[in-house]
């Protein structure tokens, strides 16, 4: 069995929930504290040992490529000023991974975006990390998924327990327990089901380790929910263990995850990550307490410095 060495990051969506901010800029470039969301995702792939990163991009996505390329003008200016701290930060994203890019053309859905990786990936299993989904670096997910993939030679998805009222926003999994507390066998998947027909409140989140057979399945997957080619529909087929592809397993994630494509979650991500930062937490924490106290006592928010 081939080892996973490649990460695919779909980042070609239109980001309509974030308009007008995403009119001319990809949502994956929105800053989360002082790094664009996409950098956290690439860092996570590299941290899990996946240095070969293929990004699926589209129109208006040049900023993504530029972010992982050299910025000679900025570098020269920082060098001249002797600002080595910032220079290091600028160079860090350039040297982070072996970056590759392919365009999706029309954004016909996540399944269609993943299919664009076929030529680059070849015959080995590979990881998919959604470009707008951040997993807190202090919590382990992808490494555990790679471990489960290696042990079971199957396709692995990440599952998060959500409020049943929220399940209509995700793919939902029907599952069976296994001999491992954090691993389930996925027996079925439904994309964005209504609460009353959802097979569980276990939602698929934006990390996958896929066997390459997924490409053949995606090639014949018909547009599903929203008229888009859904990765969930292809995985539903694989869950039935088509032609001995090993089936689908789920790793239940109990850590912190931020969907930066959603405005409220995006704001929460910035606050949660900034309060724990050495350079910003000291200033932010007391301000936040005062601000929250003001909300409790109905003080207009403008009264807090
Ligand atoms: P989303 O559904 O969250 O992205 O897709 P979106 O379509 O950009 O968002 P809204 O709903 O319009 O605001 C999840 C991930 O899949 C990628 C997105 O870039 C995001 O990282 N994606 C989605 C593609 O690469 N191509 C697509 O056709 C659709």
């Amino acid at each position: 069995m081939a080892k996973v060495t490649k990460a695919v990051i779909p980042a070609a969506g239109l980001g309509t929930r974030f308009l007008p901010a995403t009119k001319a800029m990809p949502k994956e470039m929105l800053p989360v504290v002082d790094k664009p969301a996409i950098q956290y995702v690439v860092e996570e792939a590299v941290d899990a040992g996946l240095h070969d990163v293929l990004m699926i991009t589209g129109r208006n996505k040049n900023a993504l490529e530029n972010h992982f390329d050299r910025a000679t003008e900025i570098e020269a200016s920082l060098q001249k000023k002797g600002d080595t701290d910032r220079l290091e930060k600028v160079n860090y994203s350039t040297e982070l991974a072996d970056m590759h890019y392919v365009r999706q053309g029309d954004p016909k859905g996540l399944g269609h975006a993943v299919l664009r990786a076929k030529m680059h990936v070849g015959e080995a299993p590979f990881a998919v990390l959604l470009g707008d989904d951040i997993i807190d670096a202090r919590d382990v997910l992808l490494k555990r998924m790679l471990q489960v993939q290696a042990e079971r030679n199957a396709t692995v998805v990440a599952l998060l327990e959500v409020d049943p009222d929220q399940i209509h926003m995700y793919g939902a999994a029907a599952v069976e327990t296994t001999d491992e507390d954090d691993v389930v066998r996925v027996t079925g998947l439904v994309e964005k089901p209504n609460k009353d027909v959802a097979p569980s409140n276990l939602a698929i989140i934006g990390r996958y380790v896929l066997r390459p057979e997924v490409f053949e399945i995606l090639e014949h997957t018909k547009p599903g929910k929203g008229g888009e080619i859904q990765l969930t529909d292809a995985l539903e087929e694989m869950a039935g263990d088509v032609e001995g592809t090993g089936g689908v397993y789920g790793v239940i994630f109990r850590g912190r995850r931020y969907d930066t494509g959603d405005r409220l979650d995006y704001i929460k991500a910035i606050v949660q990550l900034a309060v724990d930062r050495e350079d910003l937490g000291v200033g932010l924490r007391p301000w936040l307490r005062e601000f929250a106290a003001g909300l409790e006592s109905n003080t207009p928010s403008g009264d807090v410095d």
Side-chain angles (χ1 to χ4, degrees), residues 10-17 27-28 104 107-110 113 130-132:
L14 295 178
T16 44
R17 283 169 293 168
K27 66 174 166 181
E28 294 82 3
Q104 189 184 358
K108 293 186 194 163
L110 179 58
L130 298 195
D132 58 353

